[in-house]
Amino acid sequence: MSQALHPMLNVAIKAARTAGTIINRASLDLDILKVTTKSANDFVTEVDHRCEEAIIETLLGAYPGHGILAEESGRTHGAKNSEYVWIIDPLDGTTNFIHGLPFYAVSIALAFRDQIQQAVVYDPTRNDLFYASKGRGAFMNDKRLRVSKRTRLSDSLVGTGFPFRKGDNFQRYLKMFAEVMTSCAGVRRPGAAALDLCYVAAGHYDAFFETGLNPWDIAAASLIITEAGGLIGNFTGEADFMYQREVVAGNPKIYAQMVNILAPFTRIIKDAPAAGTPGEAAPTAEDVFIASATAAAAPAEAPKKKVAVRIRKADLDKS
């Protein structure tokens, strides 16, 4: 790389390449891979765990006072109250990886006071390294990235991701998919959001949209897109997207047209005074996300024992 990189970005790149080496080695012998199911159609492998451990070890080795938010281990590592938080997806596109489909990536972002400052997305199968520092542009390897210049949605190629978890609103998605599909030149769904979003930054896609994504899927790529001249937000076009489980991105012209289509489908959690408690703010989207993630990880409550109740004839007579 010809340019001088920020020290924190250099550490993130080192961590991403270490994880990429683990992934590439494992991809040579998928038959012995141990796969477990987190929920219906949501898989995790020993490779996810090994990559995450290697990334966290590299990051905390350099910055032990930083916090961690990672897909497989949540907030269990790092400093709990640091203003610096690394947001990590060790293997985005696990389902593709399991099947030997070469479209997956490592995603690492550094947030300072909730603003993404450093970002790396590494595609180990192509050895493509996407990276950005806030205010310093976005790059793939040594090439400066710029979003596409298309101005009409009818000429545009749009990326997306299909809902796949139990409980996802498939009918809602099909309606918005139909709206987008009939308005653009084509829709693609490779299956790794971090890489899809980087393809918006590179100009391969003119836009991207998806529901149900987590912060670690989009954190790094969001900075890479904005540093490449693109826009990213929720379905109503606002910058509040990280914890909202809906995201749309694109070059400025196409982004505006996508928002116009997607806005009616938004499910944004608004910050507002809680009913019945004047002056007290309702939980933010981040609060809701963290609470739901914590609840999902908690052991299920033991079912209450059924107690036999004897009904006397006299009671029946009274009724």
Side-chain angles (χ1 to χ4, degrees), residues 15-136:
R17 288 196 181 279
T18 300
T21 299
I22 295 170
I23 292 167
N24 281 340
R25 285 175 182 164
S27 71
L28 299 175
D29 205 351
L30 292 173
D31 291 341
I32 63 170
L33 193 66
K34 293 179 183 176
V35 181
T36 54
T37 304
K38 290 191 281 188
S39 60
N41 299 328
D42 195 1
F43 305 104
V44 62
T45 72
E46 57 189 320
V47 176
D48 295 73
H49 290 295
R50 278 164 40 208
C51 287
E52 187 166 294
E53 289 167 6
I55 291 167
I56 291 171
E57 182 180 350
T58 301
L59 298 178
L60 293 184
Y63 303 104
H66 286 189
I68 298 287
L69 174 60
E71 179 174 11
E72 308 307 337
S73 59
R75 293 184 183 271
T76 58
H77 298 283
K80 297 298 181 284
N81 300 311
S82 176
E83 292 183 312
Y84 288 95
V85 178
W86 293 96
I87 305 172
I88 303 162
D89 191 338
L91 177 52
D92 183 37
T94 299
T95 302
N96 284 351
F97 174 72
I98 291 168
H99 290 84
L101 183 64
F103 195 87
Y104 40 80
V106 181
S107 177
I108 303 172
L110 176 64
F112 176 66
R113 296 178 179 173
D114 297 325
Q115 299 295 314
I116 306 299
Q117 302 291 321
Q118 311 293 336
V120 176
V121 174
Y122 180 51
D123 175 353
T125 66
R126 295 168 187 79
N127 196 26
D128 282 341
L129 184 75
F130 299 86
Y131 57 95
S133 292
K134 192 170 180 63
R136 299 183 65 180

Side-chain angles (χ1 to χ4, degrees), residues 1 75 114 159 177 273 315 318:
M1 295 169 204
R75 293 184 183 271
D114 297 325
F177 181 77
D315 292 330
K318 288 176 185 176

Side-chain angles (χ1 to χ4, degrees), residues 161-228:
F162 301 147
F164 61 90
R165 296 180 182 89
K166 186 178 181 180
D168 283 344
N169 191 331
F170 292 96
Q171 293 306 314
R172 171 186 167 230
Y173 181 82
L174 288 173
K175 288 177 183 176
M176 74 174 82
F177 181 77
E179 292 280 345
V180 173
M181 187 173 62
T182 55
S183 303
C184 70
V187 179
R188 300 291 182 268
R189 199 279 187 190
L195 208 47
D196 281 322
L197 288 164
C198 286
Y199 280 16
V200 173
H204 304 326
Y205 293 148
D206 303 292
F208 175 85
F209 74 101
E210 189 168 353
T211 60
L213 292 175
N214 293 305
W216 43 79
D217 298 312
I218 55 181
S222 69
L223 179 63
I224 293 169
I225 283 175
T226 56
E227 288 294 321

Side-chain angles (χ1 to χ4, degrees), residues 133-271:
S133 292
K134 192 170 180 63
R136 299 183 65 180
F139 298 82
M140 185 192 79
N141 304 328
D142 279 332
K143 180 186 175 185
R144 181 72 183 260
L145 296 178
R146 300 299 299 177
V147 294
S148 72
K149 295 179 180 178
R150 287 186 182 84
T151 58
R152 296 190 302 180
L153 183 56
S154 59
D155 296 332
S156 297
L157 186 63
V158 177
T160 190
F162 301 147
F164 61 90
R165 296 180 182 89
K166 186 178 181 180
D168 283 344
N169 191 331
F170 292 96
Q171 293 306 314
R172 171 186 167 230
Y173 181 82
L174 288 173
K175 288 177 183 176
M176 74 174 82
F177 181 77
E179 292 280 345
V180 173
M181 187 173 62
T182 55
S183 303
C184 70
V187 179
R188 300 291 182 268
R189 199 279 187 190
L195 208 47
D196 281 322
L197 288 164
C198 286
Y199 280 16
V200 173
H204 304 326
Y205 293 148
D206 303 292
F208 175 85
F209 74 101
E210 189 168 353
T211 60
L213 292 175
N214 293 305
W216 43 79
D217 298 312
I218 55 181
S222 69
L223 179 63
I224 293 169
I225 283 175
T226 56
E227 288 294 321
L231 296 174
I232 184 167
N234 59 40
F235 284 178
T236 56
E238 299 160 295
D240 178 19
F241 63 89
M242 193 69 73
Y243 296 92
Q244 296 288 4
R245 296 189 184 276
E246 64 177 49
V247 68
V248 57
N251 78 40
K253 294 282 189 183
I254 304 303
Y255 176 84
Q257 293 167 65
M258 288 290 291
V259 166
N260 190 48
I261 291 174
L262 297 172
F265 299 97
T266 189
R267 291 291 186 273
I268 291 300
I269 302 168
K270 293 289 186 185
D271 296 346

